[in-house]
Each structure stands twice: as structure tokens, then as C-alpha cells.
Amino acid sequence: MNNNNENLDLEDELFEHFRFEVPKGQALLRIDKYLMNLIQNATRNKIQNAATEGNIFVNDIPVKSNYKVKPFDVVTVMLSHPPFENHILPEDLPLNIVYEDDALLLINKEPGMVVHPGHGNYTGTLVNALAHHFDNLPMNSSERPGLVHRIDKDTSGLLVVAKTEAAMTHLAKQFEAKTSEREYIALVWGNVAEEEGTIEGNLARHLKDRMQMAVFADPEIGKPAITHYKVLERFGYVTLISCRLETGRTHQIRAHMKHIGHPLFNDERYGGHLILKNYVYKIQTVIENCFKALPRQALHAKTLGFVHPNTGEMMRFDTELPQDFQDCIEKWRNYGKTHNMEDEEK
């Protein structure tokens, strides 16, 4: 009898798959439309069915699909099965390990690899590869083995992975205290006016496009984010820059550069894949060739520095730009050798 009751309890149990806190500036919006903007590959029909089945909650109370969310609501989607991302399938995927010891390892992530499983990406991720190559990696606060930080799918470059609980705690504190060194190389649209500068602005989900982050002037919205940038090379239509992160928010460089009018080259989510109207008739071919050479956002995590959790030694790692990034830059250089871009911009 007890076993049967336990089985019934398990069948009736709901597992949290998504949780969102509605930001301060959100206008009233039907919850099915709100969730469509947040959950990748979700359809309105699926969301409405979930609401009909009592699987969508606002402030712990089940709601129908016509409920209108308001600022500070806490929305959760509960389903009858555990989230797939918590079931990590070990996969024999190649890892470019640039350094390893008993406490940690450094990985130079290839573009196109998702860092951890999530909605729509349950296999083929860096975490799936780590689960195959390493046993008993410590879990971070999100139950993801070894991860201290992450970079976006189409961003290439360096990641540090903790191999022990002590290393995880030590490294996480450095990232939180802003003592780690993180430098990115980015190619951005336009001729950046200043040789160097700092972008400050709280980042939170864009109010209309929930797949983007945006800068908010209201200090009560989002989290503080600071990016220091420096021009490395100018190509007239685009600029190669170095970005040093003081904070590490989601899409920080991508959102900050768009905010100052210089979205990352070929960054589809932030509009950097569009050929700027003023350039269409002048350099359409060169832009399209550069898009083919670099079919992703032009962002690479080049440098990573931190204090080793065991030895106390300051360690600094550096990587070369991947070949697709180098090919794109070379195309811009070659164009500049045969064209006077200053005259073209007039």
C-alpha cells in the first residue's frame, strides 16, 4: 500500500522548469504572450495547454493563459517531469584543454558549442563533454558541474572549470569580487569615436524582445554592468576593439556595444547581422564575404586571469583569435588597402 501511495505522489509532483520575475517596467501583458518571448521554441498553443493543465503559476497560484502579468510577479512553469538539463548525459566530445592541474582546467571553447544544457540544447554541450572526461566535478549553485562562469554559444574563447569544491568556491568569489581579469576581442559596426572609454548601465531583459538584454537608466532595474573598451584597429566601417569586463552579466558586451550605437559585427540577436543602410550600395559584397567568413557574432574571450585557489599564484592565460575571426579581419584589411574609406564615408 505504501509503495502505491509513493507512486501516486510521484505522478502528482510538479517540477519547476522555468522561473521569471517580471521587471519593474513591464506593461500589462497576457501571460501566454509574455512566456512566448522568454522560452525558446515555445508556441502559444503549448503555453495555453500548460495553463489549462494548471502548470503555470504566478506568485505560487495557478493562472489561466489570459492572466496579465504585472511588475514584480513571479512566474513559474511547472511540469510533471524533471527538467532535462538536470539529467546530464556524458558525451565523448572533443575539448581543447589549454591547461590542467588537480584543482582546475582551462578550456578554449570553440564557437557553436553551448556551455550547459538548457531548453532546446540538452546534448552536445560543454557540460556533456565534461561529464564524460571528468568524474565527480563539483556542482555550482545552478547544479552545473565544474562551471564557474560561461560564455555564449557563438562566442569563442577561454573558460575556467573547477575540479574541486574548494576551487569552485575560491574562483567564484574572485569573479564576484571583480578581481578576475577578463579581456574580449570584438569587431563592432561603425568607426568608434573615442580611442577608449567605459560603458556603465544596468542590464536587464529587454521589455519587448525578451531574448535580448538592454541598458536601463533606472538603478532599480537590472544589475550594474561595467565594460571598458579600447580601439585596436580601425577599418572605417567597422572597428576592432578590446573589452575588459569589470562585471560579467549575460550578453554584457553585446548589449553595451549596441547601446552606444556599435553592435557586434554579425550578431544576429542584437541586429549586427544587418547590412547598414548607408553601406549597402558601397560595400555590400565585402560585408557579405565577411559574414561568410565569420558566420557568428564577432566576439572572442581572449584573456583570462585569476589567483590559483591552491597556490595563491596569479595565473594569466591568453589565446589567439580563431581562424574565422582572423579571416574576417583580413578581408577588412585587404579592402582598406585598395579603397580610401575616409572618402567613401563622406
Side-chain angles (χ1 to χ4, degrees):
M1 178 68 71
N2 288 339
N3 288 338
N4 289 336
N5 286 338
E6 288 174 3
N7 289 335
L8 287 173
D9 289 341
L10 286 173
E11 289 175 1
D12 292 340
E13 184 179 0
L14 292 177
F15 298 87
E16 180 178 308
H17 281 235
F18 302 98
R19 174 180 289 263
F20 308 105
E21 182 173 347
V22 181
K24 178 180 178 181
Q26 175 66 52
L28 292 177
L29 183 67
R30 282 178 58 113
I31 196 166
D32 51 0
K33 291 184 177 180
Y34 180 76
L35 289 174
M36 276 184 64
N37 292 331
L38 284 173
I39 302 176
Q40 186 179 6
N41 298 327
T43 65
R44 194 170 181 182
N45 186 54
K46 287 181 180 179
I47 293 171
Q48 289 175 341
N49 288 340
T52 300
E53 293 169 5
N55 291 346
I56 297 179
F57 295 76
V58 175
N59 305 325
D60 297 325
I61 299 173
V63 298
K64 300 301 181 184
S65 58
N66 63 352
Y67 174 88
K68 292 186 176 179
V69 299
K70 59 184 183 298
F72 307 116
D73 276 347
V74 176
V75 179
T76 52
V77 179
M78 311 284 286
L79 300 176
S80 58
H81 57 81
F84 289 120
E85 53 263 43
N86 290 335
H87 295 267
I88 299 168
L89 177 68
E91 294 181 80
D92 187 6
L93 303 172
L95 291 175
N96 183 359
I97 298 174
V98 298
Y99 174 83
E100 182 181 2
D101 61 27
D102 292 339
L104 54 87
L105 63 141
L106 266 290
I107 293 173
N108 187 10
K109 188 186 81 68
E110 298 295 328
M113 175 178 265
V114 175
V115 170
H116 58 74
H119 188 76
N121 294 288
Y122 298 116
T123 61
T125 75
L126 176 64
V127 163
N128 294 114
L130 290 173
H132 173 83
H133 292 285
F134 300 95
D135 295 325
N136 303 316
L137 290 177
M139 292 290 183
N140 66 13
S141 59
S142 300
E143 297 298 312
R144 288 159 181 159
L147 293 188
V148 179
H149 62 127
R150 69 177 185 86
I151 56 179
D152 296 330
K153 172 186 175 182
D154 289 325
T155 298
S156 53
L158 289 172
L159 280 168
V160 61
V161 175
K163 295 175 69 176
T164 68
E165 292 283 355
M168 172 77 75
T169 300
H170 197 284
L171 290 168
K173 286 181 178 179
Q174 291 185 58
F175 277 80
E176 184 179 357
K178 307 174 188 176
T179 58
S180 60
E181 178 186 355
R182 284 168 289 176
E183 181 196 14
Y184 288 70
I185 302 299
L187 186 68
V188 301
W189 274 111
N191 193 4
V192 178
E194 304 296 332
E195 287 297 319
E196 56 185 89
T198 297
I199 309 168
E200 296 187 57
N202 279 24
L203 291 180
R205 291 283 177 186
H206 196 289
L207 297 181
K208 293 183 179 179
D209 185 348
R210 307 300 291 178
M211 301 303 289
Q212 287 189 24
M213 303 300 286
V215 176
F216 290 84
D218 188 336
E220 295 185 10
I221 299 178
K223 296 180 180 179
I226 302 174
T227 303
H228 305 283
Y229 68 86
K230 182 178 181 180
V231 171
L232 299 177
E233 193 170 353
R234 299 180 183 275
F235 305 107
Y237 299 108
V238 293
T239 306
L240 189 68
I241 62 172
S242 164
C243 293
R244 183 169 59 84
L245 298 186
E246 194 168 316
T247 55
R249 310 301 182 196
T250 300
H251 295 183
Q252 178 170 320
I253 294 173
R254 300 167 71 184
H256 268 174
M257 296 313 298
K258 180 180 180 179
H259 178 67
I260 65 170
H262 297 286
L264 267 62
F265 187 78
N266 211 8
D267 187 351
E268 183 172 357
R269 180 161 293 176
Y270 287 86
H273 65 304
L274 302 174
I275 299 176
L276 302 189
K277 290 182 180 179
N278 293 338
Y279 303 160
V280 169
Y281 301 109
K282 296 175 181 177
I283 57 168
Q284 182 173 359
T285 300
V286 68
I287 292 173
E288 289 176 348
N289 287 338
C290 288
F291 280 170
K292 290 177 183 177
L294 184 67
R296 62 181 178 97
Q297 70 252 18
L299 188 62
H300 175 70
K302 183 177 187 294
T303 303
L304 185 59
F306 51 84
V307 174
H308 193 283
N310 290 355
T311 67
E313 175 190 0
M314 182 65 193
M315 306 186 75
R316 187 177 186 274
F317 298 88
D318 197 74
T319 57
E320 295 293 329
L321 287 174
Q323 194 61 51
D324 60 353
F325 209 138
Q326 292 186 44
D327 290 344
C328 179
I329 291 172
E330 194 58 32
K331 288 182 183 298
W332 282 111
R333 286 197 184 113
N334 290 336
Y335 183 79
K337 291 175 183 177
T338 57
H339 295 76
N340 189 326
M341 289 182 283
E342 291 186 0
D343 290 342
E344 288 185 1
E345 288 185 301
K346 293 179 181 178

